[in-house]
Amino acid sequence: MADEADDAPPPPPKKSGGGTLVNGVGIFALTLVAVVVGGFINAKLHPLPDLKMDKDGRITAVVPEASAAKGGGEGHGAGKPSVYYAIDPPLVVNFEDGSAVRFLQITMEIMAHDEKAIESVQRNIPLIRNNLLLLMSNRNYQSMMSREGKEKLRQEALTEVRAVQKKEGGPDVDDVLFTSFVVQ
């Protein structure tokens, strides 16, 4: 009988049950530290631009001093922040494509570096909208579907806005941007 007790293997040591929990908490802590450090490094390498809202509700990007000193600005207002004015509501025109009637809806914003140019656009917006609607209604469907056609339309819209500004004695705008372009 004593021999049988000696031959039996010893019982396994009891586990404390917290090993998996400790490992999980350790992995969570390391992951959390990695995310926080990565976010800090990303914020230092790619800072967000400062935005400023005017009393009229226009949002302007404030150029950081470091990039302005390097000559990062281009065009008419080098060093000045860009100012945008949204033409609202969107412009909607219809045109024929064979036997089908199609609609074009464009949301546009006008960009300038001169606040006076944007104020002049606001004063002249009925005339600008009229001229842009007439310009856009003379299109065919195929030209609207290519990138080149859209870019050509954007350049013609810019020329149209500049013509109105010149006629009305306002400062020149820098660009016209399409922020939404829908053809149905």
Side-chain angles (χ1 to χ4, degrees):
M1 227 182 227
D3 288 336
E4 286 180 21
D6 290 335
D7 289 341
K14 292 195 174 198
K15 291 189 177 182
S16 64
T20 307
L21 181 62
V22 170
N23 288 343
V25 170
I27 290 172
F28 175 76
L30 287 174
T31 304
L32 182 63
V33 168
V35 168
V36 169
V37 169
F40 179 75
I41 291 172
N42 185 42
K44 288 296 182 185
L45 292 176
H46 307 287
L48 294 174
D50 292 329
L51 301 175
K52 178 177 71 171
M53 184 179 290
D54 293 351
K55 61 184 173 216
D56 298 333
R58 288 179 297 210
I59 297 174
T60 58
V62 179
V63 179
E65 297 299 322
S67 65
K70 292 178 188 174
E74 296 179 11
H76 302 294
K80 289 184 180 179
S82 298
V83 182
Y84 298 91
Y85 176 72
I87 296 179
D88 195 40
L91 301 170
V92 179
V93 295
N94 59 341
F95 55 94
E96 289 189 36
D97 175 34
S99 62
V101 176
R102 299 207 178 254
F103 293 94
L104 168 66
Q105 176 183 337
I106 300 179
T107 305
M108 302 172 74
E109 294 203 21
I110 298 176
M111 182 184 90
H113 286 90
D114 185 359
E115 187 76 31
K116 292 180 182 177
I118 296 298
E119 291 170 4
S120 176
V121 166
Q122 287 175 323
R123 279 192 311 273
N124 299 319
I125 199 65
L127 183 58
I128 291 172
R129 284 184 65 87
N130 175 67
N131 291 4
L132 290 174
L133 286 169
L134 293 175
L135 173 74
M136 291 174 193
S137 63
N138 289 336
R139 300 290 158 193
N140 65 30
Y141 178 73
Q142 293 302 323
S143 70
M144 292 290 123
M145 294 297 96
S146 70
R147 181 179 176 100
E148 293 80 20
K150 292 173 187 171
E151 183 60 32
K152 182 180 179 203
L153 178 61
R154 190 186 69 76
Q155 288 296 330
E156 290 174 2
L158 176 60
T159 302
E160 204 59 49
V161 171
R162 284 180 173 167
V164 170
Q165 288 291 93
K166 184 175 182 180
K167 178 182 172 188
E168 298 299 317
D172 211 5
V173 298
D174 294 332
D175 209 350
V176 170
L177 308 169
F178 292 160
T179 54
S180 173
F181 195 98
V182 179
V183 179
Q184 284 186 324

